Amino acid sequence: LALAAVRAQVQQEPFLETTEGTSISIKCSHPDIRTGDFIHFYRQLPGQSPELLAVTAKASKEVRSPEGRLSVSADRRSSELWLRQPRLGDAAVYYCTLGP
């Protein structure tokens, strides 16, 4: 049995918390990002499938629901999803991935 190694390594905090209505930043580190890679942020609410929130190569992007912003560092080695006023219903697993 051969297993393919996953090239795109990303690191995220395992757990974050905030009080309802208090902004929060979800950081993602991806030092091995390549030229053609896009940064994707997903969230998975309990009992649901993952939902794509935003995709970008390097430009900052506004996020509508939940309201916030996806920002990328100048060297593209890290990114951050900032949520303006998260609500109880926004409690979820948030994923950062790299891909085409």
Side-chain angles (χ1 to χ4, degrees), residues 60-72:
S60 294
K61 280 274 182 78
E62 296 296 323
V63 179
R64 286 190 189 170
S65 180
E67 185 186 358
R69 188 170 186 81
L70 171 56
S71 303
V72 182

Side-chain angles (χ1 to χ4, degrees), residues 78-92:
S78 64
S79 56
E80 175 178 297
L81 178 65
W82 176 75
L83 304 181
R84 183 183 302 277
Q85 288 185 313
R87 299 294 171 204
L88 194 57
D90 295 317

Side-chain angles (χ1 to χ4, degrees), residues 14-28:
F15 183 80
L16 290 172
E17 66 180 352
T18 186
T19 54
E20 190 171 27
T22 301
S23 66
I24 191 169
S25 290
I26 302 167
K27 295 177 173 58
C28 182

Side-chain angles (χ1 to χ4, degrees), residues 3 7-8 12 17 24 26 28 30 36 39-40 43 45-46 56 58 60-61 70-71 74 76-77 80 89 97:
L3 296 176
R7 177 195 64 75
Q12 294 177 255
E17 66 180 352
I24 191 169
I26 302 167
C28 182
H30 30 80
I39 301 155
H40 302 70
R43 78 169 174 183
L45 295 163
T56 189
K58 61 182 179 181
S60 294
K61 280 274 182 78
L70 171 56
S71 303
R76 297 198 337 127
R77 292 163 58 92
E80 175 178 297
T97 67

